[in-house]
Amino acid sequence: NAGVTQTPKFRVLKTGQSMTLLCAQDMNHEYMYWYRQDPGMGLRLIHYSVGEGTTAKGEVPDGYNVSRLKKQNFLLGLESAAPSQTSVYFCASSYGADPYYEQYFGPGTRLTVT
Amino acid sequence: AQSVSQHNHHVILSEAASLELGCNYSYGGTVNLFWYVQYPGQHLQLLLKYFSGDPLVKGIKGFEAEFIKSKFSFNLRKPSVQWSDTAEYFCAVLLYNQGGKLIFGQGTELSVKP
C-alpha cells in the first residue's frame, strides 16, 4: 500500500514549456486535491475532484488544468509555465468531504520555472 | 471569505520548553479544524483534528489543541518540546460543503534547539 505518490519529484522548466504532474493513490479514495505551497502562504487549493470524471476549481486555478480519467489518478497540467508557478505541489486524497475522513498527502513535487 | 490566520511565523524554543501556536479562523459554518505537521523534506501529516464534542483534542506525539468557539481559535500546545518537533505546523479549516477542501493558515516554523 503506497498511499499517495507523485511524479516527478523535481522538475525545472523554462518559461512557456508545458508539463503534467501525476498523482496516484491506491486507497480507493473518491476525492483528490492539488495544492501548491509557497513560503509564508501555507497551502492553497488549485483544483479538486469528487470522483472519476469530475473536476472543480479551487482558490488558485488560473494557469492550470486537471483531469481525472481514472479514479486512482489525478493529473495537473501546466500548458505554458510561468515563473509565478515555481512552487512545491502537493496532491492529497480522501474517502470523502466528511471531517471523519483524513486527507492523505503525497511527498510533493518541487517545480522551478526559469 | 473563509480564512485561517497563524500569528507566529517562526518560533524558536529550547528543548523542554512549552509550546503554544496560535490559530484563528474566519468561517460562518460548522467548524472542522485540523493541525498538520510537515517535518523537513517530508509531506504533511495529520497531528489532530476537531469536529465535535470535547473542545480539548489530543493528538499524536503529545500534542493537544483547544477549540474556543467564542474566540474563533484553535491553538496548538505541547508541554515540553523535543528537538524532533522541529517542523512547520499548519492549521486548517475544512469546508465540508465545498468538496471537503482545506483552507490552510500561513504556517508556523518551529525550531527547537537541543
Side-chain angles (χ1 to χ4, degrees):
Chain A
N1 188 335
V4 181
T5 58
Q6 293 181 233
T7 51
K9 288 186 168 48
F10 304 94
R11 186 72 186 269
V12 178
L13 286 180
K14 292 189 186 327
T15 298
Q17 287 185 317
S18 63
M19 76 164 294
T20 300
L21 282 67
L22 170 64
C23 174
Q25 52 90 8
D26 60 2
M27 297 175 281
N28 201 32
H29 285 170
E30 288 291 337
Y31 286 54
M32 296 186 75
Y33 308 85
W34 275 108
Y35 296 90
R36 59 177 288 173
Q37 182 182 27
D38 302 294
M41 303 186 76
L43 280 78
R44 293 177 293 167
L45 183 66
I46 305 171
H47 287 281
Y48 64 102
S49 168
V50 301
E52 183 179 316
T54 74
T55 63
K57 293 180 180 179
E59 298 172 79
V60 288
D62 294 341
Y64 304 95
N65 56 72
V66 287
S67 64
R68 183 99 181 268
L69 299 179
K70 293 183 179 180
K71 186 177 183 178
Q72 63 267 36
N73 295 339
F74 195 29
L75 279 64
L76 178 71
L78 287 73
E79 289 188 345
S80 178
S84 60
Q85 294 177 304
T86 293
S87 188
V88 181
Y89 292 85
F90 287 98
C91 177
S93 71
S94 70
Y95 279 113
D98 194 288
Y100 291 105
Y101 301 127
E102 179 180 342
Q103 283 191 26
Y104 292 86
F105 285 80
T109 295
R110 187 173 293 276
L111 174 67
T112 302
V113 183
T114 61
Chain B
Q2 307 92 350
S3 67
V4 176
S5 179
Q6 293 180 241
H7 320 297
N8 316 103
H9 297 297
H10 192 187
V11 173
I12 302 173
L13 295 173
S14 297
E15 276 194 315
S18 64
L19 170 72
E20 181 160 2
L21 300 182
C23 172
N24 285 92
Y25 64 90
S26 169
Y27 181 54
T30 300
V31 176
N32 305 118
L33 295 158
F34 300 76
W35 275 99
Y36 281 86
V37 60
Q38 185 179 29
Y39 298 104
Q42 296 188 27
H43 57 90
L44 272 76
Q45 302 172 43
L46 182 65
L47 265 183
L48 49 79
K49 62 182 178 182
Y50 168 82
F51 50 89
S52 66
D54 190 343
L56 185 60
V57 180
K58 295 194 184 300
I60 61 171
K61 305 187 180 187
F63 287 91
E64 64 179 32
E66 186 174 12
F67 170 55
I68 304 179
K69 191 174 181 180
S70 61
K71 295 185 178 181
F72 299 90
S73 70
F74 190 55
N75 292 356
L76 181 71
R77 300 195 292 247
K78 186 171 184 178
S80 175
V81 295
Q82 301 172 322
W83 177 78
S84 57
D85 293 324
T86 294
E88 190 157 18
Y89 293 80
F90 294 94
C91 183
V93 62
L94 177 78
L95 305 185
Y96 167 70
N97 60 354
Q98 295 185 38
K101 55 188 179 184
L102 290 167
I103 302 295
F104 286 87
Q106 304 93 322
T108 297
E109 185 178 348
L110 173 65
S111 300
V112 180
K113 298 184 292 185

